[in-house]
Each structure stands twice: as C-alpha cells, then as structure tokens.
Amino acid sequence: MMKTASRLSKLGAAALLAVGAVGTMQAHAQEKFAYMTNWYAQAEHGGFYQAVATGLYKKYGLDVTIKMGGPQVNIVQMMAAGQAECVMGSSDLQMIQMREGGVPVVNVAAVFQKDPQVLIAHEDVKKFEDLKGKTILIASSAQRGYWPWLKAKYGFTDSQTRPYTFNIQPFVADKNSAQQGYLTSEPFAIAKAGVKANTLMFSDQGYPAYATTISCMEKTVKDRSAAVASFVKASMEGWKSYLADPAPANALIKKDNPNMTDEQLAYSVAKLKEMGMATGGDAATMGIGIMTDARAKASYDFLVDAKLIDPAKVKLTETYTTAFVKDLKVLP
C-alpha cells in the first residue's frame, strides 16, 4: 500500500503544478473534456452548465461536453470505459465505495458542502426521533449510504422501510409515512400536490458527506492534471456565476431536460442559496469546491464504522486529493 500512497503524493505534486499553471498557461487549445452528471439536467448541476454557457471552460482552454446521467446510467462504468474524463459523484461516500470496489477513482472537488439528501415527513413529524415506528420509503442505494447512519443514530429498523420508487404518491396517500428526497426537488413536488410536510436534513444532524463531487480516474488526474485543474477552476467560477444569475445555465438545462420547468429551477436555486449548499461551511472562507482532510476522514471513518467498506482494501489517502481546490479560493 505504500506504493499507492507515494503514487498519490506524486499525483498531488503534479496537480499542484497544474493548478499553478491554470491562470498563466491554459490547457492545450480547446482540449476536449467530458463530464458526466449523476441525473437529468437540473439546478443542482447549474454551475457546470453555467461554465459552458458563459464561456468559462473555453477561457481556460477546454472544450467541455456535459453528458447527462439518469436512473439507468452507470456513470462510473462509463468513465472507466473512457466515455468521460470525470463524473459527478452523488457523494464522496459513493466514490470511496467505488474505489474500494476496485475502480481507481479520486475525488478532486466537492461543490456541495452538505449532502442535500433529506427525509420528508407529514406535518406531525418535527424531528427525526418522531419517525420511530413510521413507514420510511427509501431507495435501495440508501442501504450503502445514509440508512446505516440513521439506524445507528436514531434506532430505526429495516422493518420500517419500504421501497421508494421516485414517485411521491405513496407518501401523499399514507399519513403515517416518510420518504427520502433531495432538498431541492421532492419537497417542491409535495408542496405542489397540496400536502403539508416537514423536511429533515441529515447534514444538520452531523451526516458527514460531501455531495456533487468532481471525481476522476486516477490516470486522468495524473496524465491530464492541467486539464483537470482547468476544469475544476472554471467549474467553481461557474457555480459562483450561476448563483448570481442562473439564466444562461438554465437555458441549457432545459434544452438537455425539456421536462424541467422554470418554477422548479427557481425553487431549486433559491434553496441552494438559502441553505448555503455550495457557499456555506468551509466554502465561505476557503472557496467553492473545497474539500478538507478532516471532512474526508469523517466520511471514510463513517464508512468503516458502518462496515460499508473494508479499510484493508482502500486507504483514505487513495480516495481524494485537495491539490486542485485548496488554493483556488473562488470565494462566494
């Protein structure tokens, strides 16, 4: 394992050189670079679309294509097959687990300082503790993420759970249920359906995950460090721009995802700003996209404690590098 650690320290050194070069020496003229998102185009991807729409990627020498993910798309598999340089991890936890599973993926930036995952409950539920004994609708992926954390913290049981099918109707119909959601999405749909509900955020209770990562193959980080550095810098400038004026990106988002409405986009942007998803926490002083050693360790330790990864198979230092973000300082 020492070899891997030294290899990553070399990656870090290469990245630092690349980051230093971004402002003065662009990546090769209009170098092609593909980034694959984790879902259909939406406001949660806005900064990346903004960097395309406003020419930020071109400014840093990149010809960026954003490829849309979706429920049936294995973005990591596609990246490993060479169809994207980097992907959007739903969380750093997800990418650490991919690494443990044998895919040499590295987290290089995290746009959201908090995970937007939530549970949505009917209005009688004011806090997580009130959910004991209630039906909780969760997706199967939750078993490898927030569900073990909720069980350990609040004493919930697997027998409470039912499958979440990305349809709010079962929740609407059953007053004794709660369902998973994304801060910027399902609460909007539920409110539109006329149901009074409360939204409970995991991150407010200590859930450690970052979300909306830029995660790349280790080989890409090493061999194309200048392009990765340019992509990270332009993306974070894109996020700052998007939160100030989302119109340019929203036009592209609706082009990629015609089902997206102006009302949903406006709601999502307002929530992202209100909750400081990209601009709060460490990002307020260290810059958008920041990852810290302490937070990376907290995520890794949670996965080990929950027995979701085997520490013998993956070392913390293999899972991330702060080289691309620690000196960026794209301040909100």
Side-chain angles (χ1 to χ4, degrees):
M1 280 300 172
M2 286 301 292
K3 278 187 183 170
T4 308
S6 66
R7 185 168 78 238
L8 269 169
S9 63
K10 282 179 192 164
L11 284 184
L16 280 172
L17 285 171
V19 171
V22 167
T24 51
M25 185 187 72
Q26 295 177 348
H28 301 303
Q30 300 307 297
E31 189 175 343
K32 289 195 178 300
F33 198 96
Y35 180 65
M36 185 164 275
T37 67
N38 59 358
W39 202 251
Y40 305 126
Q42 54 189 290
E44 294 84 341
H45 308 161
F48 301 102
Y49 280 96
Q50 187 85 346
V52 172
T54 61
L56 282 164
Y57 290 129
K58 281 197 168 65
K59 173 184 162 187
Y60 289 110
L62 296 179
D63 175 9
V64 169
T65 302
I66 296 176
K67 298 183 176 182
M68 221 170 36
Q72 307 304 323
V73 183
N74 186 327
I75 60 173
V76 174
Q77 196 173 57
M78 291 180 77
M79 174 174 66
Q83 294 185 47
E85 273 64 44
C86 303
V87 297
M88 178 186 292
S90 294
S91 71
D92 58 332
L93 306 178
Q94 177 197 27
M95 293 297 133
I96 295 169
Q97 290 171 307
M98 290 288 178
R99 177 104 200 183
E100 189 234 23
V103 183
V105 62
V106 182
N107 291 318
V108 301
V111 176
F112 291 170
Q113 296 297 299
K114 304 189 263 192
D115 193 319
Q117 285 278 358
V118 296
L119 284 182
I120 305 154
H122 291 274
E123 59 182 335
D124 59 311
V125 172
K126 310 292 186 204
K127 54 190 189 297
F128 282 102
E129 288 86 348
D130 298 340
L131 289 169
K132 278 198 173 171
K134 291 190 181 287
T135 299
I136 303 177
L137 305 165
I138 61 170
S140 57
S141 57
Q143 300 286 355
R144 292 188 50 76
Y146 67 80
W147 184 244
W149 179 82
L150 284 175
K151 284 200 295 185
K153 191 168 178 74
Y154 298 108
F156 298 156
T157 62
D158 290 334
S159 61
Q160 284 179 259
T161 66
R162 300 287 181 276
Y164 176 57
T165 59
F166 297 91
N167 177 349
I168 64 168
Q169 289 312 314
F171 168 76
V172 170
D174 181 1
K175 291 274 192 271
N176 200 43
S177 70
Q179 69 155 65
Q180 75 170 51
Y182 225 55
L183 172 72
T184 44
S185 181
E186 283 86 351
F188 173 75
I190 288 165
K192 288 274 287 179
V195 177
K196 289 189 172 151
N198 289 323
T199 300
L200 307 172
M201 273 190 82
F202 306 151
S203 61
D204 289 344
Q205 306 302 321
Y207 188 56
Y210 285 120
T212 311
T213 65
I214 298 175
S215 305
C216 317
M217 299 297 284
E218 190 174 287
K219 186 176 186 336
T220 304
V221 175
K222 180 172 166 243
D223 295 349
R224 298 187 62 192
S225 56
V228 173
S230 294
F231 180 76
V232 171
K233 184 172 176 62
S235 297
M236 299 319 145
E237 289 183 10
W239 271 101
K240 180 173 180 170
S241 169
Y242 182 68
L243 293 169
D245 172 20
N250 284 351
L252 292 185
I253 288 170
K254 288 194 294 181
K255 193 172 167 188
D256 267 6
N257 180 10
N259 292 324
M260 184 54 63
T261 66
D262 289 330
E263 195 181 4
Q264 172 73 70
L265 285 165
Y267 176 89
S268 297
V269 172
K271 277 289 174 195
L272 291 175
K273 289 163 81 164
E274 176 197 337
M275 303 303 291
M277 298 305 292
T279 56
D282 293 325
T285 54
M286 300 172 78
I288 299 170
I290 194 69
M291 296 186 304
T292 66
D293 295 329
R295 284 284 300 277
K297 184 176 188 304
S299 286
Y300 179 87
D301 288 350
F302 157 65
L303 290 171
V304 172
D305 292 345
K307 297 187 168 45
L308 293 173
I309 59 168
D310 177 355
K313 289 186 180 172
V314 59
K315 299 287 177 261
L316 169 62
T317 51
E318 298 169 1
T319 64
Y320 77 106
T321 174
T322 62
F324 294 97
V325 290
K326 66 181 181 182
D327 297 319
L328 260 193
K329 298 266 192 307
V330 178
L331 293 169

